[in-house]
Amino acid sequence: MAAEEVLQTVDHYKTEIERLTKELTETTHEKIQAAEYGLVVLEEKLTLKQQYDELEAEYDSLKQELEQLKEVKRQTRLMVNSLTLLSEHFHVTFHDGPSL
């Protein structure tokens, strides 16, 4: 009976080793898949970061251009107002004749 118990114990350990080996293989495969997924996510994050940086630089450039255009508009408006006043002054002076 002792030999039969030893065989049962050996069979039990073989079954346990097979189960643990299968579980280790599955776990290792899952870890590899998780690592690969993590790399994909990291690559996408880097791509998005690069796109964000590019868009932010473009935004800053456009914002600066807008400020420059606002300044040109302001200066143009001042120039038009000045020309309008000069035109009105010369129109009045020319039509009223010289003042004595």
Side-chain angles (χ1 to χ4, degrees):
M1 191 121 152
E4 190 176 309
E5 288 178 7
V6 170
L7 287 176
Q8 285 180 351
T9 303
V10 169
D11 284 342
H12 172 73
Y13 284 134
K14 281 183 182 180
T15 304
E16 187 65 15
I17 288 171
E18 288 172 3
R19 183 186 70 77
L20 291 172
T21 301
K22 182 180 176 183
E23 194 174 305
L24 178 62
T25 301
E26 290 173 358
T27 302
T28 301
H29 181 70
E30 289 171 359
K31 284 185 178 184
I32 290 170
Q33 284 182 323
E36 289 171 346
Y37 178 74
L39 287 174
V40 169
V41 169
L42 183 60
E43 287 174 2
E44 189 168 332
K45 178 185 176 191
L46 291 174
T47 300
L48 290 172
K49 173 75 169 112
Q50 182 179 6
Q51 289 174 348
Y52 174 83
D53 290 344
E54 290 169 1
L55 288 171
E56 188 173 39
E58 184 177 353
Y59 168 78
D60 290 341
S61 174
L62 290 171
K63 186 176 177 183
Q64 183 178 4
E65 185 178 343
L66 176 62
E67 291 303 317
Q68 291 170 349
L69 289 171
K70 284 180 179 179
E71 179 59 22
V72 167
K73 179 183 174 185
R74 186 187 71 76
Q75 290 176 2
T76 302
R77 187 174 287 145
L78 287 173
M79 193 178 299
V80 167
N81 289 342
S82 295
L83 289 173
T84 302
L85 288 173
L86 281 172
S87 171
E88 289 172 358
H89 174 72
F90 280 116
H91 181 71
V92 168
T93 303
F94 181 73
H95 287 299
D96 289 344
S99 332
L100 296 173

